[in-house]
Amino acid sequence: MSLGADRSYKMKLRDVENAFKYRRIPYPKRSVELIALLAISCTFFLFMHTNKLNSRLKEMEVKLQPSEFSALGLTSNHVSGHDAGKHDDINTLHGTYQYLKSTGQILQLNAQDLNNTPKADIDVLFFNRVPKTGSMQLIELMRQLGKVHDYEVEKDPQNGGVLPILELPEQSDMIENIVNLEDGTVFASHVNYLNFTKNEQPRPIYINMVRDPVDRVVSWYYYIRAPWIFVPGRRRSNREMPNPKWVNTEYDQCVLSGEKVCTYIEGSLLEHVGDHRRQILFFCGHDEFKCTPFNSRLALQIAKLNVEREYAVVGTWEHTNETLAVLEAYVPRYFADASKMYYSGLHAEKQNDNPMKPHISQEILDMVRRNFTREIEFYQFCRQRLHKQYLALKLNDLRRVDKSLIQLEAANDMAIRN
């Protein structure tokens, strides 16, 4: 090929390349407008979705707090004064989280697995309330919620006093009465755990409250000595007024003098109706041999098993925020918006508060605690279970946020590619 021909070929090749490089393909005007409209719409909806996710992320406090604990939404607002300065204690919310994390159990924590409400056979809420745990406060809150959610609260009057141990026929009668209640009823009674399954009856939804066992026995000691309690009671039963010495003896004196009512001997049996040192008893049942010995290992194990298998929620006012949140999530039919109702002030004021109860020295409390080892263990077990249920809810929320973030990132990637 000659030099001139080669140059002519290269020029033609360049002309063809330029033609492809600067080609113009005409589009109809309306098609361009439609594409622009679609792009604007996608941008708008993506912005709205991002805004919604940002709001949820703020609520969860993700990335706004320095620690993993805060990332779960567990700020100082969720740690009660009872737990202040004890974050490493496994019985606190923070301590339970750290323990579950260190043992790897946090990865398997799931709110659905900890929810016994779906196991109930009837739509009746049974609150077998433990005395001196703030049960009246919960009853009044449920009465207010019942007006909103359309349910009734029936409180057993128990005119004969608190009789936790029932004979078999009495147990059967109470179970039958509860089973025959209308759907959407709350029944509250000071009575031990009743085994509906053993009696071949459908199970209700079980809830209860617990309290530090030593604080509880001190509270009971002064409660029954309060004039506004014993005076009406004695008049109704035509009994004599109590000995002034009995009324005026302080708890510290009672413990130090070794009086029987303030002596807590392991294995001692239930002596009288007013012997309320056993919180475990209300979760163990009515077997006198297994459940009544004080501070018993067997009663403790039975009570733990019943809580795990039967109770939707066992809360405590010592962890108010967690208790209300767990009740809302695990028993929504009866407790939806419980936190809002509680903090709005529409619930009743604290019931049975005794302003005459004096301060008890720490030395006396420590002395008494040494005899309440298994009662304390049960109380701590219930607290840890409550914390696990609460943490499971927060983790579920966090997982939903993570899923939304993944979807958001995928949508952003798709928008960038397009």
Side-chain angles (χ1 to χ4, degrees):
M1 184 182 289
S2 66
L3 182 62
D6 183 53
R7 186 179 296 167
S8 175
Y9 173 76
K10 288 181 178 179
M11 290 177 65
K12 289 179 180 178
L13 186 61
R14 188 171 62 248
D15 290 342
V16 171
E17 289 176 350
N18 288 336
F20 276 101
K21 186 175 180 180
Y22 299 107
R23 72 189 186 280
R24 296 288 186 270
I25 301 174
Y27 285 97
K29 186 176 180 182
R30 291 191 177 278
S31 297
V32 174
E33 292 174 352
L34 180 61
I35 292 170
L37 184 61
L38 285 172
I40 292 169
S41 299
C42 288
T43 304
F44 174 74
F45 285 116
L46 189 60
F47 170 77
M48 294 296 292
H49 187 59
T50 305
N51 226 22
K52 184 179 178 182
L53 282 172
N54 284 335
S55 298
R56 290 176 64 189
L57 285 170
K58 276 189 177 182
E59 290 173 6
M60 288 291 296
E61 299 179 331
V62 176
K63 297 182 180 179
L64 294 181
Q65 300 290 339
S67 67
E68 293 174 84
F69 194 63
S70 297
L72 287 172
L74 307 174
T75 65
S76 58
N77 294 328
H78 296 96
V79 181
S80 69
H82 189 76
D83 292 343
K86 299 192 297 180
H87 285 177
D88 293 332
D89 183 353
I90 191 174
N91 301 306
T92 66
L93 182 61
H94 190 279
T96 301
Y97 169 71
Q98 293 295 349
Y99 171 75
L100 293 173
K101 181 186 169 188
S102 66
T103 58
Q105 295 180 57
I106 199 78
L107 300 174
Q108 284 78 43
L109 204 58
N110 190 300
Q112 188 174 352
D113 297 336
L114 296 168
N115 190 1
N116 284 335
T117 301
K119 297 178 183 177
D121 302 309
I122 54 175
D123 182 19
V124 173
L125 188 71
F126 183 26
F127 178 26
N128 69 311
R129 59 195 191 111
V130 182
K132 306 313 296 174
T133 59
S135 59
M136 274 306 301
Q137 194 173 356
L138 185 61
I139 287 173
E140 292 305 319
L141 176 60
M142 287 191 290
R143 281 176 173 159
Q144 294 298 326
L145 289 168
K147 296 174 184 177
V148 178
H149 303 310
D150 191 26
Y151 65 79
E152 297 293 329
V153 178
E154 291 192 18
K155 179 172 153 303
D156 188 349
Q158 295 182 288
N159 294 324
V162 178
L163 297 170
I165 296 290
L166 301 178
E167 298 296 331
L168 286 173
E170 295 173 314
Q171 293 178 49
S172 297
D173 288 345
M174 179 167 277
I175 287 173
E176 190 173 344
N177 288 338
I178 294 169
V179 168
N180 289 328
L181 291 171
E182 291 185 9
D183 284 353
T185 301
V186 174
F187 181 73
S189 178
H190 288 306
V191 65
N192 290 2
Y193 164 75
L194 292 165
N195 194 327
F196 287 74
T197 305
K198 189 175 179 180
N199 282 267
E200 298 181 345
Q201 295 282 10
R203 291 188 297 180
I205 304 166
Y206 252 115
I207 65 165
N208 215 326
M209 300 288 282
V210 290
R211 182 179 180 182
D212 178 281
V214 175
D215 290 347
R216 182 176 161 271
V217 294
V218 173
S219 179
W220 179 262
Y221 181 88
Y222 285 103
Y223 169 75
I224 60 174
R225 286 165 175 77
W228 54 89
I229 297 298
F230 71 72
V231 171
R234 302 285 170 172
R235 285 175 178 169
R236 281 195 301 268
S237 57
N238 294 319
R239 287 182 290 177
E240 294 182 5
M241 295 299 288
N243 187 316
K245 182 182 177 182
W246 178 85
V247 174
N248 296 318
T249 300
E250 300 292 357
Y251 185 75
D252 295 52
Q253 296 173 306
C254 182
V255 171
L256 292 173
S257 62
E259 291 189 33
K260 195 171 184 180
V261 69
C262 299
T263 303
Y264 310 101
I265 301 172
E266 186 169 309
S268 58
L269 299 178
L270 194 67
E271 295 179 2
H272 52 83
V273 172
D275 183 6
H276 287 300
R277 66 191 69 191
R278 299 164 181 80
Q279 186 164 233
I280 287 174
L281 183 60
F282 284 83
F283 299 87
C284 181
H286 300 265
D287 189 311
E288 195 165 356
F289 173 75
K290 295 178 180 178
C291 297
T292 61
F294 175 67
N295 208 44
S296 155
R297 181 180 295 278
L298 178 59
L300 168 66
Q301 296 306 323
I302 294 172
K304 283 183 177 181
L305 192 63
N306 286 337
V307 168
E308 286 280 19
R309 287 181 176 177
E310 302 288 344
Y311 283 80
V313 178
V314 177
T316 172
W317 291 118
E318 288 153 310
H319 300 287
T320 302
N321 290 343
E322 294 87 87
T323 295
L324 294 175
V326 169
L327 285 169
E328 284 181 347
Y330 289 78
V331 200
R333 163 71 177 89
Y334 296 90
F335 289 99
D337 298 320
S339 297
K340 183 179 178 181
M341 179 74 75
Y342 180 85
Y343 287 112
S344 70
L346 294 178
H347 68 289
E349 294 299 322
K350 191 173 181 180
Q351 301 287 315
N352 296 333
D353 194 26
N354 188 351
M356 296 176 66
K357 185 173 70 176
H359 173 74
I360 310 298
S361 72
Q362 191 60 47
E363 183 182 0
I364 293 295
L365 294 176
D366 291 341
M367 185 186 302
V368 173
R369 284 184 191 283
R370 286 195 285 271
N371 293 333
F372 275 76
T373 53
R374 294 191 180 100
E375 287 285 339
I376 291 170
E377 182 180 339
F378 177 73
Y379 167 66
Q380 292 172 344
F381 165 81
C382 292
R383 288 173 67 192
Q384 290 168 22
R385 181 175 184 262
L386 178 72
H387 295 330
K388 282 173 67 176
Q389 289 179 311
Y390 183 76
L391 287 167
L393 294 175
K394 289 297 176 181
L395 285 166
N396 279 3
D397 289 344
L398 191 58
R399 286 167 188 146
R400 282 196 292 269
V401 170
D402 286 342
K403 185 177 179 181
S404 297
L405 282 173
I406 292 169
Q407 293 172 343
L408 175 60
E409 289 174 2
N412 282 333
D413 289 344
M414 187 177 293
I416 291 169
R417 285 197 301 270
N418 294 334

